[in-house]
Amino acid sequence: MAQPRISAYLPPDIDPTKAALAFGRRALPKLNEELQSPELLTQQRALMALCDLVHDPEKVYQAIALGFLDSLKALLVHEDQTVRQKTTEVLSVMALHSIGREGLIRRGVISALAGLLDDPVDICRKNTHQVFDMLARLPEGAGGVLQAGLIPPLVLKLESELDEIQELILGTLSNCLRVEVAAALAAGAVPVLKEKLSHPYSAIRSKAAWVLLEISSHAEGKIAVFEEGVIPELLSLLEEPRPEVQVNSTGALMFALVTPQGRSSAMGAAAIPPLLTLVAEETSKARLNAIKALTLLAELPEGRQTLLEHRDTFERCLDDPSEAVQRAAEIAITVIDWKP
């Protein structure tokens, strides 16, 4: 299914080709002065030139050293939508470079961008979430998002944002919740994510399962996933044709089944047949997670009894090219063969 994309076109009255000087010929200190100019057109043209320049990591380093980030932070609240659009675009391009990510985190850009979560212009919000997504991939960036108190509003935005932005939010959450889940659980993230597992777009289903995987890796998250009835929904994704959906879904199941409640829920939802199907598929990227999930189910008497009939499926995995799959299969066979 085709997905509508957010347009990055400027308003028709803005012509970026009329910038006073071409790319590479404007001195960065002069550009910084122009960003602080009271003249709207001067600010717009300076931002357009800067958008080109910051594709070069060296220019990003120089811009940070010259204090550009303070000027850009001030422009995030500008009343002109073109200024906000180009400012967020500059920041999103800077976030593509390691030196840019480090500078944005150090200079408090995360908190400054928080005010744009409700911006009326779609592309401004998209650029903002692209920055959050990139910065959250660093531990200190994820910590910055958490410290800025952004987890509750991000969870809330999952229920109202455009699909393209929802993908970015889910990416941000997956990295932040690797650090801690308390704020997300308090904000009701699990039922929202459960709903996203049946979203029309597979990319959103996959990323929702990824976030649930991170939530399930925490003790309190495992309980929430069970209590909200997420396990049957995850099982329904195992037949998805996209490998990343299967990988994330089986990963979330693997963590959720660590608890007795999770294993009981999975058995009640007939989890063994679809998981065995993934184990039998030699090219399945979800194979390792599926084996580990079934090993947990083999700890239940009824699970062990069922899996004894499929011991040969695990034996075939002993010749898998992946050493991790081989080791997981060995452990699974040991658990299945165990006699009380």
Side-chain angles (χ1 to χ4, degrees):
M1 181 185 297
Q3 186 172 354
R5 311 301 293 180
I6 295 172
S7 173
Y9 287 116
L10 294 168
D13 58 331
I14 302 298
D15 185 357
T17 64
K18 293 182 179 179
L21 294 172
F23 167 73
R25 293 174 56 198
R26 307 184 77 165
L28 281 171
K30 178 63 175 177
L31 275 180
N32 201 18
E33 292 177 10
E34 292 175 353
L35 291 179
Q36 301 171 48
S37 168
E39 296 294 329
L40 176 61
L41 189 57
T42 300
Q43 291 175 326
Q44 291 174 340
R45 288 176 174 173
L47 285 165
M48 291 168 190
L50 190 58
C51 277
D52 288 330
L53 289 170
V54 294
H55 283 87
D56 180 352
E58 179 62 26
K59 292 297 190 296
V60 174
Y61 174 81
Q62 294 173 10
I64 293 173
L66 289 168
F68 269 72
L69 291 178
D70 289 335
S71 301
L72 293 169
K73 284 163 61 178
L75 294 177
L76 290 174
V77 295
H78 203 289
E79 62 181 10
D80 180 71
Q81 76 170 58
T82 301
V83 170
R84 297 197 310 279
Q85 174 180 337
K86 300 308 288 186
T87 301
T88 54
E89 182 180 337
V90 169
L91 293 172
S92 68
V93 174
M94 292 178 76
L96 296 174
H97 308 291
S98 60
I99 187 66
R101 291 191 289 274
E102 294 169 4
L104 267 58
I105 293 169
R106 287 198 311 268
R107 300 299 299 179
V109 169
I110 292 174
S111 296
L113 282 169
L116 274 71
L117 291 179
D118 295 312
D119 196 283
V121 181
D122 294 346
I123 189 61
C124 290
R125 300 196 313 279
K126 178 186 175 183
N127 289 339
T128 294
H129 285 288
Q130 284 179 327
V131 175
F132 289 155
D133 183 34
M134 290 301 301
L135 298 188
R137 299 179 189 188
L138 297 178
E140 55 268 38
V145 173
L146 289 162
Q147 291 169 13
L150 287 175
I151 299 302
L154 289 177
V155 170
L156 184 63
K157 288 297 179 183
L158 280 177
E159 300 187 83
S160 60
E161 262 297 2
L162 301 172
D163 291 343
E164 194 173 343
I165 294 177
Q166 286 185 43
E167 287 187 54
L168 294 169
I169 293 174
L170 290 166
T172 302
L173 288 174
S174 64
N175 287 301
C176 290
L177 301 190
R178 189 172 301 163
V179 179
E180 66 106 317
V181 298
L185 294 178
V190 175
V192 174
L193 293 166
K194 177 184 177 182
E195 181 183 342
K196 296 302 172 184
L197 293 177
S198 57
H199 193 279
Y201 296 112
S202 61
I204 290 180
R205 295 196 298 272
S206 176
K207 289 193 173 182
W210 183 17
V211 180
L212 285 164
L213 183 157
E214 298 298 345
I215 287 178
S216 298
S217 68
H218 298 265
E220 59 269 45
K222 291 178 176 63
I223 295 172
V225 166
F226 163 72
E227 291 179 343
E228 294 293 340
V230 176
I231 290 175
E233 298 295 329
L234 290 169
L235 287 169
S236 69
L237 295 180
L238 299 188
E239 297 179 4
E240 281 267 353
R242 290 187 60 167
E244 62 269 26
V245 178
Q246 295 179 345
V247 170
N248 292 336
S249 301
T250 52
L253 280 168
M254 178 184 66
F255 282 116
L257 300 189
V258 169
T259 66
Q261 302 97 319
R263 291 194 288 274
S264 296
S265 175
M267 288 300 296
I272 289 180
L275 286 169
L276 278 171
T277 299
L278 291 177
V279 174
E281 293 178 5
E282 295 183 3
T283 59
S284 173
K285 294 182 178 180
R287 200 178 197 191
L288 178 60
N289 290 342
I291 292 172
K292 291 181 177 180
L294 287 167
T295 302
L296 290 166
L297 293 178
E299 294 181 3
L300 297 176
E302 60 270 35
R304 187 181 307 113
Q305 182 177 356
T306 300
L307 291 171
L308 272 171
E309 301 173 6
H310 301 275
R311 192 178 185 280
D312 58 329
T313 301
F314 296 93
E315 288 179 339
R316 286 193 291 271
C317 295
L318 297 176
D319 296 322
D320 195 274
S322 168
E323 291 184 6
V325 169
Q326 293 177 24
R327 288 195 300 270
E330 289 174 0
I331 295 171
I333 291 171
T334 300
V335 176
I336 292 170
D337 288 344
W338 182 82
K339 291 181 173 58

